[in-house]
Amino acid sequence: MNSEQPAKVVVIGGGTGLPVLLRGLKEYPLDITAIVTVADDGGSSGRLRDELEIPAPGDIRNVLAALSDVEPLVEELFQHRFETGNELIGHSLGNLLLAAMTSITGDFVHAIREMSKVLNVRGKVLPSANRSVVLHAEMEDGVIVTGESKIPEYGKRIKRVFLSPKDIKPSAEALKAIRKADLIILGPGSLYTSILPNLLVLDIRDELCTTKARKVYVCNVMTQQGETLGFKASDHVKALYDHMPCAFLDAIIVNNAPIPAPLKKRYEVEQAQPVEYDREVLTELGLEVLEEQIIQYDGSVIRHDTKKVARLIFNMLA
């Protein structure tokens, strides 16, 4: 890494976890590339995917907003969701703009690049696939569930996830970013529906196995019903490895702050509990365990503290 140039950091994921992390990272002198899942099939994103046959724009939209450097009102406008109107109801303006830009440019990656200019985005945002994809899960009872939004609803343990079509190609830019990265971060976010869909794109998977970059997993703070019920930190890692041809991680970031009893009780309604980090097993897996109090409370919701996690990651590069 050239000390005169900012470190190259690639962040891979989707859902609500990725934007939280990126809001903290963008405050540091880093060359950031976000590689984002497009397997979403719910709400506005899913409707546009099905009607226009484009990659699902929702997770991309949230990442663009997180990395944007515009007036708060402009970001609010981009994230605005229509609540009335037969055809518009439920649609986010940002999703519609990405769909329109894809139509104008003829290419989803190009559309994201142009929207990034409009929003003054700090870094690059790239989809893990440049076409519409569908996520499937094979459950432990042998049932195949189709659709990212339907997988957690099934309520049984997931054996594996896979994409269709199988021959999905990422953009050359995404592969180049992984190849040139100093640090690659996965998560936080839904393990099977936000993080793993990116690793199911074969070229991305292969690059992660060969890159010399240090690779770190930001572990979720709470388990998730329908995905990681009863999972310890090592179970998250093993699930990632089950979908990869190599044990590719170097480190894991875990929370060591206790969860207040009232919040624990609220999460019990969703059958969610704090993720226990089993240090011994993680060490046996060859991982450096970075533990810190990295949570904050957003009302009755527990989130990663974006500033603390970003500082931890930046210090790893020092």
Side-chain angles (χ1 to χ4, degrees), residues 97-113:
L97 288 170
L98 280 164
M101 193 67 87
T102 303
S103 178
I104 290 165
T105 62
D107 179 72
F108 189 58
V109 172
H110 192 174
I112 297 166
R113 199 178 300 131

Side-chain angles (χ1 to χ4, degrees), residues 74-227:
V74 176
E75 185 185 334
E76 194 180 331
L77 178 68
F78 186 67
Q79 292 284 56
H80 176 74
R81 197 173 291 277
F82 294 96
E83 294 177 359
T84 55
N86 290 340
E87 297 301 321
L88 280 176
I89 194 164
H91 272 308
S92 152
L93 181 61
N95 286 353
L96 295 173
L97 288 170
L98 280 164
M101 193 67 87
T102 303
S103 178
I104 290 165
T105 62
D107 179 72
F108 189 58
V109 172
H110 192 174
I112 297 166
R113 199 178 300 131
E114 294 305 318
M115 284 308 305
S116 296
K117 291 177 191 171
V118 172
L119 293 167
N120 197 21
V121 163
R122 295 191 196 181
K124 276 198 197 94
V125 180
L126 299 166
S128 55
N130 199 17
R131 60 182 292 185
S132 177
V133 297
V134 179
L135 183 68
H136 312 268
E138 180 187 351
M139 301 297 181
E140 282 203 334
D141 61 5
V143 170
I144 304 290
V145 179
T146 294
E148 182 258 13
S149 61
K150 295 179 182 65
I151 291 166
E153 292 173 1
Y154 188 71
K156 293 280 169 67
R157 203 171 175 97
I158 299 166
K159 185 178 177 185
R160 69 181 181 109
V161 285
F162 59 99
L163 292 175
S164 65
K166 287 182 181 174
D167 60 337
I168 299 150
K169 292 289 180 193
S171 69
E173 278 180 277
L175 298 180
K176 185 180 173 187
I178 293 170
R179 217 169 287 147
K180 297 201 162 201
D182 297 302
L183 180 68
I184 295 170
I185 305 155
L186 286 91
S190 300
L191 179 63
Y192 287 98
T193 54
S194 291
I195 297 169
L196 271 166
N198 300 289
L199 309 190
L200 300 175
V201 179
L202 299 185
D203 288 349
I204 287 179
R205 185 193 74 177
D206 293 345
E207 285 293 342
L208 284 173
C209 284
T210 56
T211 179
K212 299 283 193 292
R214 197 168 183 215
K215 294 167 284 286
V216 59
Y217 174 56
V218 182
C219 192
N220 290 341
V221 175
M222 304 295 291
T223 63
Q224 188 176 351
Q225 189 178 10
E227 288 207 34

